[in-house]
Amino acid sequence: MFYAHTRSLGAQSGVQQNPLQDDTEGLGTSAGDQVVSLVARFKRGRIDKPFKVTSGNLKKKLGAPESLRVSALNEAYVQLYEAVNSGAAQAVVMRLSASASVQNQYAVVTVSKDSGETSFAASAQVPTDDYLFYLKDLECFNDGIQLQLNAPKVVDNAGQAQPTKVITLRVCEPDGTVRYEVTGSLDVAAVDEYGNDYFIGSVIESITDTIQIHAADGAQIPVNADCYGRNTDGSDKFATTGSAPLVLFTEGGTAYTDADYDTAVNALERSPLDYGNCFTAGTEAISLISKLIAMNTRANRLIAVDVPGDLTPEAAQTFVNQLNVDTHYASFYWAPLKTTDPVNGGKAIIGTSGFQVGQRCARNANTNSYGLAPKNYPIAGAEWPLNRTGVEPLVDVDDPTMSDLANAKINPVLFESYDGGGKYVFRDSLTAAKVSTSYKKLISVADMSSSFDNDIAMYGNKIKQLPMDVAIDKMQKFLKTRIQAMLSSGWLVSSDNPNIGDKGGIYSVTRNAQRPADRMDVLTWCHYDGVARAIYTTQTLSQ
């Protein structure tokens, strides 16, 4: 051997080189706070579990946008577009569906043994005989799909064409644009020259989990099939569904029930896809908003909630009050503005929760040397103006009404004057916590404290099952390092509490008195920096 050591030294003389031990690893920074989430109705997208969307695949994943004049539910598309184009790296989308009437059928492909004609049909039931294979598309296109099928010519030793089990399948957009193209066998036991699974269903599963294929026993393409071999010009002979898309998915309307909302919210909560901020994307469904707020409170995630912009200030307060929310994880935004629709054109009243969380993501991407983002800066005021065009205010809000909105925990999006000009901005940064003086009322404090809680939980999950003394030591080192980083990053400031003082935060990690063998108690006390919401100025004339 060219190396001098062994990994397992027995009775012989030698050197055993053990694996490298790493005592420097802490908790790596997560990009989850640059991801947003929502539950909404779209024209495309799987309905069984959440999926990710980016600015680059928005139309491919969710379909073409539709005007808000067609349906108010289309506002979700516009707000998601703003979120992923104003800072969110990704969005976790859970598509709403009406469970009582939704239907996702199978695409059944058959080839006539007599005529060789290939046919494609939609079937609500799994076929039992006289089929080649059937396919299920979990991306659930309202506008249908196209399928294209070809089988390469196979000849025997005498040069005679033979039936084949190998096919090339294209799953396409309604206009024929290829989504997936794979080549494989209709034989479930087939392997390629490297011994890898070559069944067509397995091949397509290696590139996407949204297409499922089942082939009939003994399925093969006859030599007289219209998809067999090549055309006279040398091009592959593809049988297709034709110019009319094959419609497999039926949305079944948009009359959603509480059970539908529960299904969607539960799927989002159970998903392993992480996100930092949720937004309601303009929905006015009180039940859905309430369930999303409750879920994100459990998840230790922030949620931005739209208050309909066509409401008067008094009606906006009523809208919020009926939710009966008391949590610092939620924040309400009311934008009584008509603006240019950035997706469909024309003017519309569009909520700002998507833009708000997108800006949070943009801020969170700007981390310092400690891996911490400037979350002590809320997305409010002159630094974060609304970047829409053609803005028309719908109401004129006076000072007493602004005070009423603040008492109702509503953050209005209105025009504000600054030196050098005015801007439409988020005028406040209040959470939905029903407090008047507590730091819980500030969104920036909610953002910083929830991030710290999440870091502690993730690190705790990492060190669990270690010996208790080892776990306590690691947690103490982690908290010391993280609190120092938060203090240096401006998250924490000096406190009048003598126990905290200039440290900004303190911690205690101990064995539990009643269960010292398996329970560790982690306590933290933090003094977060606040926000200059109210500024009082007085000038005195002096001689």
Side-chain angles (χ1 to χ4, degrees):
M1 294 186 294
F2 65 88
Y3 47 91
H5 65 270
T6 179
R7 290 298 190 183
S8 179
L9 186 64
Q12 77 276 26
S13 174
V15 176
Q16 176 174 311
Q17 178 65 63
N18 294 322
L20 176 67
Q21 301 299 304
D22 187 2
D23 197 34
T24 65
E25 184 181 12
L27 178 67
T29 57
S30 170
D33 61 1
Q34 297 168 43
V35 179
V36 299
S37 73
L38 75 161
V39 173
R41 179 261 176 184
F42 295 101
K43 292 167 59 180
R44 293 183 183 179
R46 60 191 309 160
I47 60 174
D48 59 328
K49 65 180 182 179
F51 54 96
K52 289 185 177 181
V53 170
T54 67
S55 59
N57 63 15
L58 186 66
K59 185 175 180 180
K60 177 182 177 181
K61 289 283 190 178
L62 301 178
E66 290 183 314
S67 172
L68 273 66
R69 295 188 182 94
V70 176
S71 171
L73 297 177
N74 294 328
E75 181 181 341
Y77 193 108
V78 178
Q79 289 216 35
L80 178 54
Y81 172 89
E82 284 193 319
V84 296
N85 281 281
S86 62
Q90 293 179 325
V92 177
V93 176
M94 183 61 212
R95 181 183 176 188
L96 271 175
S97 63
S99 58
S101 52
V102 70
Q103 187 177 49
N104 192 18
Q105 302 186 91
Y106 300 94
V108 182
V109 182
T110 60
V111 176
S112 172
K113 296 178 182 178
D114 297 327
S115 67
E117 181 182 1
T118 303
S119 60
F120 304 85
S123 172
Q125 305 298 325
V126 172
T128 56
D129 52 23
D130 295 332
Y131 70 95
L132 189 69
F133 67 89
Y134 62 85
L135 174 152
K136 192 167 189 178
D137 184 2
L138 299 181
E139 289 194 84
C140 303
F141 283 26
N142 281 14
D143 44 355
I145 65 172
Q146 287 204 37
L147 298 177
Q148 300 176 5
L149 178 65
N150 169 256
K153 183 178 179 179
V154 176
V155 297
D156 60 16
N157 293 335
Q160 297 298 312
Q162 299 294 314
T164 181
K165 295 183 178 182
V166 176
I167 62 171
T168 294
L169 175 67
R170 294 173 179 167
V171 182
C172 305
E173 301 269 349
D175 63 0
T177 303
V178 177
R179 289 165 57 197
Y180 308 108
E181 179 174 346
V182 291
T183 299
S185 174
L186 295 170
D187 183 356
V188 294
V191 295
D192 62 17
E193 56 267 36
Y194 299 106
N196 298 319
D197 191 345
Y198 197 52
F199 172 56
I200 188 71
S202 301
V203 175
I204 201 166
E205 283 178 0
S206 68
I207 60 173
T208 178
D209 63 350
T210 61
I211 302 294
Q212 300 174 347
I213 297 176
H214 180 89
D217 292 339
Q220 59 181 2
I221 307 294
V223 297
N224 66 332
D226 57 3
C227 61
Y228 185 90
R230 295 182 176 178
N231 296 304
T232 55
D233 62 0
S235 61
D236 291 329
K237 188 185 295 184
F238 276 92
T240 74
T241 50
S243 58
L246 184 65
V247 179
L248 303 177
F249 182 75
T250 303
E251 186 176 18
T254 56
Y256 306 115
T257 65
D258 276 351
D260 295 329
Y261 294 140
D262 281 331
T263 298
V265 173
N266 289 341
L268 182 61
E269 185 170 11
R270 294 193 306 269
S271 171
L273 303 178
D274 190 17
Y275 63 88
N277 288 273
C278 183
F279 66 106
T280 59
T283 182
E284 298 181 24
I286 296 298
S287 177
L288 176 58
I289 295 172
S290 178
K291 293 175 190 298
L292 283 171
I293 291 175
M295 185 275 281
N296 281 281
T297 299
R298 293 192 299 271
N300 190 48
R301 298 294 187 271
L302 303 188
I303 176 171
V305 181
D306 283 307
V307 178
D310 58 351
L311 298 181
T312 64
E314 294 76 16
Q317 295 169 58
T318 301
F319 181 88
V320 171
N321 290 336
Q322 67 181 320
L323 285 164
N324 194 29
V325 173
D326 182 9
T327 175
H328 64 290
Y329 290 101
S331 52
F332 293 101
Y333 297 93
W334 175 61
L337 310 170
K338 182 173 284 189
T339 63
T340 302
D341 183 334
V343 175
N344 302 291
K347 290 291 188 71
I349 301 173
I350 305 169
T352 56
S353 65
F355 180 76
Q356 166 70 208
V357 297
Q359 293 290 80
R360 293 183 192 180
C361 291
R363 176 202 62 192
N364 294 344
N366 184 27
T367 57
N368 60 18
S369 59
Y370 300 104
L372 298 180
K375 295 184 179 182
N376 49 329
Y377 288 80
I379 306 302
E383 298 297 320
W384 306 95
L386 189 67
N387 67 351
R388 293 182 187 160
T389 60
V391 183
E392 300 176 13
L394 301 178
V395 295
D396 184 19
V397 185
D398 56 24
D399 285 340
T401 302
M402 288 291 289
S403 180
D404 291 341
L405 291 170
N407 286 329
K409 310 304 180 183
I410 296 174
N411 302 297
V413 186
L414 298 169
F415 185 83
E416 192 160 51
S417 298
Y418 302 101
D419 57 338
K423 305 173 183 178
Y424 285 91
V425 298
F426 297 96
R427 289 283 299 268
D428 216 336
S429 56
L430 294 170
T431 71
K434 292 182 178 179
V435 293
S436 57
T437 58
S438 168
Y439 280 35
K440 284 178 66 177
K441 73 179 184 179
L442 301 175
I443 292 175
S444 59
V445 173
D447 210 347
M448 292 183 288
S449 64
S450 63
S451 295
F452 187 35
D453 278 342
N454 193 52
D455 289 345
I456 295 173
M458 287 195 299
Y459 191 75
N461 206 36
K462 183 176 181 179
I463 64 172
K464 69 182 181 183
Q465 303 302 326
L466 292 176
M468 181 63 76
D469 279 348
V470 174
I472 289 175
D473 181 64
K474 285 181 174 290
M475 180 61 77
Q476 288 175 333
K477 290 178 180 177
F478 165 74
L479 291 174
K480 179 181 179 180
T481 301
R482 184 49 57 101
I483 287 177
Q484 287 176 343
M486 291 162 63
L487 179 64
S488 298
S489 300
W491 288 24
L492 302 178
V493 293
S494 298
S495 170
D496 292 336
N497 184 327
N499 294 320
I500 298 177
D502 294 338
K503 292 178 287 189
I506 56 176
Y507 58 88
S508 169
V509 185
T510 60
R511 292 174 182 262
N512 180 264
Q514 282 71 43
R515 292 173 51 183
D518 66 347
R519 177 170 165 175
M520 180 173 70
D521 292 337
V522 180
L523 304 176
T524 58
W525 294 264
C526 295
H527 187 215
Y528 291 98
D529 194 10
V531 174
R533 289 185 58 250
I535 300 174
Y536 295 80
T537 68
T538 302
Q539 180 181 151
T540 301
L541 296 177
S542 299
Q543 290 183 329

